[in-house]
């Protein structure tokens, strides 16, 4: 049970981290698209300004040109967010450290009595049905535990500070 639960938490955390990374990449692509659209508008604006400078006009000859303080923005988001393997491994370790022991204890609390009753009182032809019935609930519990966010120590301290400020 321990290796299976550890593998379950590790796999689930890897998948969750990958989904977070994919969401970050999606947001990056949307931001990049907006930046490209803005850059196109900026280029058109600069071209229009250049054409106005080249076109002789009596009204423009007497006016002073405003100082050019604006420039085309430099993209800070040209590189997509990296897939942080070290962060993923640290999340897996934290998840296993915080959830594995309690999950194994709860597994023993649930499955020892169920197996005892199932194999001592239930007829052999109905045993698979009984175990399958309880497995559904056990898998729901495992899924809930896997998807429960584990707070990092810094987040717990910040959460405590927020609660103290509310009082």
């Amino acid at each position: 049970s321990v290796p299976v639960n550890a593998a379950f938490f590790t796999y689930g955390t890897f998948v969750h981290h990958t989904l977070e990374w994919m969401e970050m990449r999606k947001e990056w692509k949307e931001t990049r698209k907006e930046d490209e659209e803005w850059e196109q508008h900026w280029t058109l604006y600069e071209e229009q300004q250049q054409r106005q400078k080249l076109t002789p006009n009596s009204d423009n000859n007497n006016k002073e040109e405003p100082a050019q303080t604006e420039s085309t923005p430099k993209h800070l988001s040209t590189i997509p967010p990296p897939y942080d393997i070290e962060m993923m491994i640290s999340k897996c370790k934290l998840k296993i450290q915080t959830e594995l022991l309690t999950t194994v204890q709860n597994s023993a609390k649930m499955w020892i009595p169920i197996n005892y009753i199932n194999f001592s009182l239930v007829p052999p032809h109905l045993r698979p049905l009984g175990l399958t019935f309880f497995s559904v609930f056990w898998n729901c519990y495992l899924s809930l535990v896997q998807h429960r966010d584990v707070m990092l120590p810094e987040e717990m301290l910040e959460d405590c500070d927020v609660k103290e400020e509310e009082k």
Side-chain angles (χ1 to χ4, degrees), residues 52-58 60-61:
Q52 285 180 353
K53 285 181 188 177
L54 296 176
T55 306
N57 190 342
S58 60
N60 288 342
N61 290 338

Side-chain angles (χ1 to χ4, degrees), residues 83-145:
Y83 190 82
D84 195 353
I85 292 176
E86 292 164 357
M87 174 71 83
M88 181 178 54
I89 291 172
S90 66
K91 284 182 177 181
C92 286
K93 287 179 182 177
L94 182 64
K95 186 72 171 177
I96 288 172
Q97 288 172 352
T98 57
E99 300 285 355
L100 185 62
L101 182 62
T102 57
T103 303
V104 170
Q105 289 172 344
N106 291 336
S107 175
K109 289 176 189 175
M110 179 177 169
W111 286 109
I112 291 174
I114 288 173
N115 281 325
Y116 177 76
I117 292 169
N118 193 44
F119 286 101
S120 63
L121 301 175
V122 177
H125 68 281
L126 295 176
R127 287 179 187 161
L129 181 63
L131 291 178
T132 303
F133 175 77
F134 288 106
S135 292
V136 170
F137 294 105
W138 179 248
N139 286 332
C140 289
Y141 167 76
L142 283 180
S143 181
L144 289 171
V145 169

Side-chain angles (χ1 to χ4, degrees), residues 63-76:
K63 292 182 180 178
E64 290 184 25
E65 299 252 345
Q68 285 271 356
T69 56
E70 299 180 71
S71 64
T72 305
K74 303 294 180 207
H75 293 292
L76 299 176

Side-chain angles (χ1 to χ4, degrees), residues 30-55:
E30 290 171 0
T31 303
R32 182 70 182 136
K33 185 177 178 182
E34 290 171 4
D35 288 347
E36 287 173 355
E37 289 172 359
W38 191 90
E39 189 172 333
Q40 288 174 353
H41 290 299
W42 181 261
T43 305
L44 290 173
Y45 172 77
E46 286 182 333
E47 289 173 358
Q48 183 183 16
Q49 293 296 324
Q50 288 295 333
R51 275 189 248 126
Q52 285 180 353
K53 285 181 188 177
L54 296 176
T55 306

